[in-house]
Amino acid sequence: MERDNHQVGETEGVKICDPPCESNPPADTLATSLSLLGNHMFPYPLETKHRSAVKEEPADSLSDVTAEEESLDGEPHSHQVTPLETEETESSECQNNVSSQQLDIENEDTATDNERSDSGEFVVTMLAKAKLEEQGLGVKGGSSPLLEAETQEPPAFMSHRDEDVTADSWRQHRKHVFVLSEAGKPIYSRYGSEEALSSTMGVMMALVSFVQSGDNIIRSIYSDGHTVVFLQKGPLVLVCVSSSRQTEKQLRGELLYVYYQIISMLTQASISRIFEHKKNYDLRRLLAGSEKILDGLLNLVDSDPSFLLVAVQCLPLASSLRDNISQILQKAITPNLVFSILIANNQLLTIVQEKTVIEDSRLEPADIHLLLNLIGASSAFQAGEIWTPICLPLFNPDCYFYAYISYLDPPECTVCLLLLSTDKEAFYAVAECKRKIEEAMMAQNSLSLIAKVQSYSVSQVGVSDLRHFMYKPFDVPDTYQQLTQFTSPEMEAPYSSEEEKMRLLDLYRYMHSRIHSTSRPLKLIYHVAERETLLAWVTSKFELYTCFSPLVTKACAITAITKLLRWIKKEEDRLFIRYPPKYSTTPNPSKSSRGGKSDQQDSTDNGFLSLL
Amino acid sequence: MGEKLPKVPGDPDTLSRPMRTLRVKMVLLGASGVGKSSLALRFCKDEFRRTSPTVGCAYLTQAVHLREVTLRFEIWDTAGEEKYHSVTPLYYRGAHAALLVYDISKRDTFIRAQVWLRELEKQYFSGSTVLWLVGNKGDLEQHRQVSAQEGQSLANDRGLFFTETSALSGDQVEQLLLGVAHRVCECVGAQQGALSEWKETPHVDLCHRNTFNRFASCCKVGP
Ligand SMILES: Nc1nc2c(ncn2[C@@H]2O[C@H](COP(=O)(O)OP(=O)(O)OP(=O)(O)O)[C@@H](O)[C@H]2O)c(=O)[nH]1
Ligand SMILES: [Mg+2]
């Protein structure tokens, strides 16, 4: 798969390549150690990039992905497509280091680093040797131990957790993710059991601390076919080993989602407390049973563009119906209730919020993604009414909300109600809200109306060459508190198979990385690939990715986009949650006098009416 | 094995008289995977299905009709996973009955049940709370690691009731719930106002899925 992509890239002259980096004299010793790790993880030559701490770019927020947009100026502000200064992608930026055997270290003070490598090298080498010998593979230079390993297909009934970590198939997974503690204790591995991988993780941790000992932070390692990305968050170290052609930045964003999902279950404060108390605590004790949730998250991250775009896609719904349902939620409130969320088929249907909560901060798409994944990954919520602590890491990483979760349509269990309260004792009051909601929805026959709703087809746009698109509007002043959303039709032929879907998403990911490149951000990319043509465009009002049949001309594509933007404008009320209504449950009179529940509802009504 | 249930004599009069409904809070505690949710599903729907590990706590209700009173069991099926341990007091506080569940084929879950017992005794135990030790997965006789005698003697030592059940086959599950119902009436119900009355609010009727009475046939003689 990855080879295929590579080839496509070359024929098209679009070589997806590593970020620029200055070549420095090879640090032989570290190189040896890395190649040992490499022998286990992947049989390709390696190149590391680790920068001093001061040079680390802020990658701590998922919203960074969109932050760059602000640096662009002077784009057209209307939905009209104006003359395009098209950037045809070329291989000009490709680095010479792709197949280089040597290790490039980008470092402010390479000399000091080399000195230090003496002690660190030993640890790393020993750990790496230990691993390889344990597996009976021996230590070979650049050649691949894969060549010797017999290909043994694991039996079909085995879960990823039982995979043989010495097998060929294990290495060939597109994206590995590991979580370990600072003490090098394994916490999570996407494939294979953490125990079987404990020495591999030990090597990783040794690498991290080796670089740390020089006041540096290891950020990534590049090899011909793989990117290894490190992310340290508090006492946790997250590592991604990817053969997808995603950028370091994208991969780091994904690791951050993994971190946040862990936080959503345990909170940042309690993780810090635990490790302060006991450095080599085995966090698997607390995460027992949560592997499924992390597995599910990583599958979604790979297959759902919401994560890439850091935006939420809501279920397309007639605005009148969505409005009705929002009002039902808005009326069923109780003190300390802060968010009421309705989900249908794992898509957001509506969300209403407590007024004062949203005044200070807004709900981040990532928090919604984590909630949706939590609910989607487990059938546990189908058993009765759930009352569970849950943390929204971007909202507040240190606190729990109490979530009431219940399906409204058992036994089908497709419509899920989620009520978040700040009061852990509020179960009965919140459950009562659910009964009111259920009753009102029954009276209005909402459930059967929701059941008919489906996502839409690109054919509804009526542009013949257009195969697929993703459209993410940016906040406009009067809806500044709006949740960041995007819209996208169903992926249809020729993108119906899993492989083809993934291929299209990879193309989007590539376009996204070019648009959001730190060194050379682009506003517009017209990219002719082998089997399709893509056009990505970012303005101050929106970000748009489109996919056309391969023979479309540039002029055609531009006309098509104009039509598409018009269509979206027309369908806006159905495709997005507009003006999310707010309610007030705080008993604080000073706050409620500023806009009581009735006031709020009136203004919401006006908002909706003015749209009609 | 198990409790001998008092036979309830038929009394056609009770059927026509409006019965009081009292709320009983019952909590299920025990290690992850011992079958708490499976038992709860048996209690409420008499089904056995594949389950996922519980997240936080699941709340279910089931009405049990005794001769003179209807008990509305509010069942708090807690999650056994360790990450929820610290929040569990939220769920067991104020319970009238607690089932300490272990898996007879896993000794460590028996130990875990005793840890829960100690925690309850320390923090919350009151003489009027019905504590019941439940050895589940009785169908796994061939893998048994905890003998019935061992369970029974722990129960005797600590003043617990004891039953071995199988959520899979349904063996002793119904009897267990009835046993708890009777004991709650005896131990808790005796105190004035210990159980609050449950008033059905009109809109609750609309979603009244869980109050069918599967126990009618065995608790009171129907017409
Ligand atoms: N053989 C057998 N298996 C059972 C029995 N009861 C439950 N199981 C199985 O044991 C596993 C765990 O059951 P659950 O009911 O989810 O366990 P739990 O105690 O609720 O677990 P947590 O929610 O994680 O605390 C499931 O695979 C059930 O099918 C039983 O009586 N016999
Ligand atoms: Mg359970």
Side-chain angles (χ1 to χ4, degrees):
Chain A
M1 165 111 202
E2 143 229 330
R3 296 243 158 92
D4 277 358
N5 277 353
H6 196 66
Q7 236 167 16
V8 172
E10 269 170 355
T11 49
E12 296 306 317
V14 189
K15 198 158 174 186
I16 302 168
C17 57
D18 305 326
C21 87
E22 298 128 35
S23 287
N24 283 310
D28 289 329
T29 44
L30 184 58
T32 319
S33 329
L34 284 170
S35 71
L36 291 175
L37 173 64
N39 276 345
H40 184 220
M41 289 306 304
F42 39 81
Y44 304 104
L46 295 164
E47 170 209 333
T48 47
K49 267 182 70 183
H50 59 146
R51 297 174 188 160
S52 63
V54 282
K55 281 174 86 181
E56 197 190 25
E57 25 178 307
D60 277 358
S61 159
L62 290 165
S63 43
D64 276 353
V65 184
T66 53
E68 282 168 31
E69 179 263 337
E70 285 158 30
S71 67
L72 304 170
D73 45 29
E75 309 95 337
H77 276 234
S78 73
H79 280 183
Q80 287 299 313
V81 182
T82 39
L84 303 172
E85 38 137 339
T86 313
E87 164 81 29
E88 305 228 18
T89 48
E90 275 156 340
S91 57
S92 57
E93 291 155 79
C94 282
Q95 297 301 301
N96 51 358
N97 49 26
V98 179
S99 57
S100 125
Q101 282 275 353
Q102 58 170 222
L103 182 79
D104 294 331
I105 293 184
E106 187 186 16
N107 196 298
E108 285 192 332
D109 192 351
T110 318
T112 350
D113 198 68
N114 279 342
E115 272 166 41
R116 274 203 198 86
S117 62
D118 292 342
S119 55
E121 166 256 346
F122 178 73
V123 183
V124 178
T125 314
M126 290 321 286
L127 280 165
K129 268 186 183 152
K131 179 65 200 169
L132 294 169
E133 277 159 16
E134 182 185 292
Q135 293 171 355
L137 295 171
V139 181
K140 295 262 153 67
S143 88
S144 163
L146 293 185
L147 300 172
E148 295 153 59
E150 273 301 306
T151 322
Q152 281 177 322
E153 281 302 308
F157 60 83
M158 282 212 317
S159 85
H160 287 317
R161 215 55 61 212
D162 309 321
E163 265 187 60
D164 177 4
V165 301
T166 63
D168 212 0
S169 55
W170 182 82
R171 283 163 217 249
Q172 275 164 7
H173 285 297
R174 179 183 145 103
K175 197 183 284 167
H176 283 274
V177 172
F178 307 94
V179 182
L180 42 147
S181 73
E182 238 175 341
K185 280 235 185 222
I187 294 171
Y188 169 79
S189 165
R190 185 179 188 185
Y191 305 107
S193 79
E194 307 85 35
E195 269 127 69
L197 290 163
S198 59
S199 42
T200 304
M201 296 210 206
V203 175
M204 289 173 183
M205 197 53 230
L207 269 174
V208 171
S209 36
F210 163 66
V211 179
Q212 240 166 23
S213 68
D215 280 336
N216 282 325
I217 292 172
I218 189 160
R219 295 170 50 84
S220 54
I221 302 174
Y222 291 92
S223 80
D224 194 11
H226 287 79
T227 307
V228 184
V229 177
F230 295 83
L231 173 70
Q232 177 149 20
K233 293 294 286 178
L236 303 187
V237 176
L238 298 97
V239 184
C240 173
V241 178
S242 162
S243 62
S244 73
R245 303 203 149 258
Q246 283 172 270
T247 61
E248 180 182 333
K249 194 167 154 190
Q250 286 173 348
L251 294 170
R252 183 164 291 113
E254 297 182 0
L255 286 179
L256 206 50
Y257 278 114
V258 173
Y259 174 71
Y260 283 142
Q261 187 86 67
I262 294 173
I263 294 303
S264 77
M265 300 182 274
L266 302 177
T267 74
Q268 192 164 270
S270 71
I271 290 180
S272 317
R273 215 179 315 117
I274 287 165
F275 283 104
E276 260 163 41
H277 207 68
K278 198 163 170 243
K279 263 226 156 343
N280 63 347
Y281 182 84
D282 188 353
L283 199 64
R284 280 178 305 167
R285 277 179 58 184
L286 286 182
L287 283 176
S290 309
E291 301 90 352
K292 249 191 175 165
I293 291 164
L294 296 178
D295 293 349
L297 176 77
L298 286 166
N299 290 339
L300 274 184
V301 160
D302 281 341
S303 63
D304 179 348
S306 313
F307 291 85
L308 176 73
L309 296 175
V310 199
V312 172
Q313 177 163 32
C314 71
L315 189 76
L317 199 65
S319 63
S320 57
L321 178 55
R322 199 190 316 268
D323 186 21
N324 274 342
I325 293 168
S326 303
Q327 293 207 359
I328 290 173
L329 297 189
Q330 202 178 10
K331 280 174 192 154
I333 54 176
T334 180
N336 299 313
L337 184 68
V338 286
F339 293 112
S340 311
I341 301 171
L342 197 65
I343 297 158
N345 289 320
N346 290 321
Q347 275 192 301
L348 188 66
L349 202 152
T350 190
I351 176 165
V352 293
Q353 293 152 333
E354 210 284 329
K355 213 174 146 0
T356 45
V357 170
I358 203 67
E359 242 160 27
D360 328 337
S361 61
R362 44 186 272 166
L363 199 55
E364 291 291 333
D367 280 339
I368 301 273
H369 294 154
L370 298 174
L371 281 176
L372 288 177
N373 175 56
L374 181 78
I375 291 171
S378 171
S379 61
F381 303 102
Q382 302 181 5
E385 298 159 77
I386 303 296
W387 185 241
T388 183
I390 193 161
C391 165
L392 300 184
L394 286 116
F395 190 86
N396 185 344
D398 299 323
C399 286
Y400 278 126
F401 282 105
Y402 281 77
Y404 172 94
I405 305 168
S406 177
Y407 280 96
L408 299 180
D409 62 338
E412 285 80 21
C413 294
T414 55
V415 181
C416 184
L417 177 68
L418 185 75
L419 302 172
L420 292 176
S421 169
T422 51
D423 179 8
K424 61 177 191 240
E425 309 286 351
F427 173 81
Y428 286 103
V430 174
E432 191 53 35
C433 293
K434 181 239 180 174
R435 311 233 191 281
K436 284 186 198 152
I437 290 165
E438 204 169 36
E439 186 187 4
M441 285 181 68
M442 207 172 282
Q444 302 194 11
N445 201 23
S446 316
L447 279 180
S448 60
L449 294 172
I450 294 170
K452 288 187 201 125
V453 176
Q454 284 169 344
S455 74
Y456 61 99
S457 160
V458 70
S459 63
Q460 292 177 26
V461 182
V463 176
S464 56
D465 285 322
L466 184 66
R467 288 178 174 178
H468 191 261
F469 67 88
M470 306 193 295
Y471 173 85
K472 173 181 165 184
F474 296 126
D475 289 347
V476 278
D478 57 327
T479 54
Y480 64 98
Q481 286 169 328
Q482 213 169 335
L483 183 70
T484 310
Q485 299 174 57
F486 79 103
T487 189
S488 183
E490 205 134 30
M491 282 199 188
E492 292 163 294
Y495 308 106
S496 11
S497 74
E498 285 310 309
E499 292 75 39
E500 283 300 296
K501 264 184 197 147
M502 193 57 104
R503 200 174 59 77
L504 177 58
L505 283 172
D506 280 341
L507 286 165
Y508 280 149
R509 280 190 265 259
Y510 165 67
M511 302 289 273
H512 184 272
S513 74
R514 296 295 307 268
I515 289 271
H516 294 282
S517 150
T518 331
S519 49
R520 202 153 74 91
L522 300 172
K523 289 175 211 158
L524 192 66
I525 308 172
Y526 180 74
H527 172 46
V528 183
E530 194 179 27
R531 282 175 267 175
E532 52 274 293
T533 294
L534 292 105
L535 200 151
W537 187 24
V538 60
T539 75
S540 63
K541 295 222 161 176
F542 62 83
E543 190 171 325
L544 175 67
Y545 299 85
T546 49
C547 171
F548 294 94
S549 49
L551 297 176
V552 78
T553 62
K554 207 180 288 180
C556 274
I558 289 161
T559 325
I561 284 182
T562 314
K563 275 191 193 159
L564 170 63
L565 290 173
R566 247 183 244 137
W567 182 84
I568 292 171
K569 185 90 200 135
K570 186 162 69 70
E571 299 288 321
E572 208 161 46
D573 287 352
R574 186 169 70 92
L575 302 179
F576 299 102
I577 304 174
R578 309 239 348 158
Y579 306 135
K582 284 164 265 168
Y583 52 76
S584 177
T585 59
T586 22
N588 183 345
S590 69
K591 292 266 187 187
S592 52
S593 65
R594 272 202 277 145
K597 189 177 131 203
S598 51
D599 288 0
Q600 190 51 41
Q601 225 154 314
D602 286 349
S603 67
T604 317
D605 284 348
N606 291 338
F608 274 103
L609 285 173
S610 67
L611 284 174
L612 297 176
Chain B
M1 166 172 66
E3 277 297 303
K4 237 190 126 209
L5 294 167
K7 273 268 166 285
V8 183
D11 178 1
D13 280 358
T14 52
L15 290 176
S16 45
R17 228 188 297 138
M19 257 202 291
R20 286 199 312 157
T21 300
L22 298 178
R23 295 168 62 180
V24 174
K25 176 171 178 179
M26 179 167 85
V27 64
L28 299 178
L29 296 168
S32 183
V34 296
K36 297 180 296 297
S37 301
S38 305
L39 282 171
L41 195 62
R42 273 274 175 219
F43 289 150
C44 299
K45 299 221 176 98
D46 197 18
E47 282 174 12
F48 184 82
R49 249 193 282 129
R50 268 179 50 104
T51 50
S52 296
T54 305
V55 173
C57 189
Y59 173 88
L60 305 98
T61 60
Q62 173 64 48
V64 175
H65 300 275
L66 300 181
R67 195 164 69 107
E68 264 153 15
V69 71
T70 294
L71 296 184
R72 182 178 193 263
F73 272 90
E74 297 179 350
I75 301 169
W76 292 81
D77 166 27
T78 65
E81 286 170 3
E82 192 163 329
K83 64 171 168 284
Y84 298 109
H85 193 152
S86 59
V87 294
T88 314
L90 173 69
Y91 307 120
Y92 66 62
R93 221 182 311 123
H96 304 108
L99 306 190
L100 300 164
V101 188
Y102 66 93
D103 172 350
I104 63 144
S105 70
K106 290 208 177 83
R107 173 154 293 274
D108 56 318
T109 66
F110 185 57
I111 313 278
R112 189 92 193 111
Q114 296 173 50
V115 174
W116 279 117
L117 176 60
R118 237 170 294 138
E119 179 169 333
L120 287 187
E121 285 174 342
K122 221 186 304 162
Q123 303 204 0
Y124 141 92
F125 182 73
S126 83
S128 62
T129 307
V130 176
L131 293 181
W132 210 293
L133 185 66
V134 179
N136 189 42
K137 307 203 185 179
D139 54 287
L140 297 178
E141 192 56 54
Q142 72 279 20
H143 302 292
R144 183 189 279 277
Q145 289 184 357
V146 183
S147 71
Q149 294 90 300
E150 220 174 326
Q152 186 66 63
S153 67
L154 175 71
N156 292 346
D157 289 352
R158 310 288 276 273
L160 319 171
F161 300 98
F162 175 66
T163 303
E164 280 196 354
T165 57
S166 167
L168 179 86
S169 71
D171 186 38
Q172 297 296 316
V173 176
E174 222 170 86
Q175 289 86 334
L176 171 63
L177 189 60
L178 271 173
V180 174
H182 284 289
R183 295 299 168 227
V184 167
C185 279
E186 274 168 32
C187 304
V188 186
Q191 300 165 289
Q192 261 307 311
L195 296 179
S196 64
E197 195 152 344
W198 187 64
K199 295 264 185 280
E200 243 178 290
T201 37
H203 54 261
V204 177
D205 280 328
L206 280 169
C207 48
H208 222 188
R209 285 186 277 268
N210 284 338
T211 53
F212 75 99
N213 182 9
R214 195 163 51 75
F215 294 95
S217 54
C218 59
C219 312
K220 84 189 165 193
V221 178

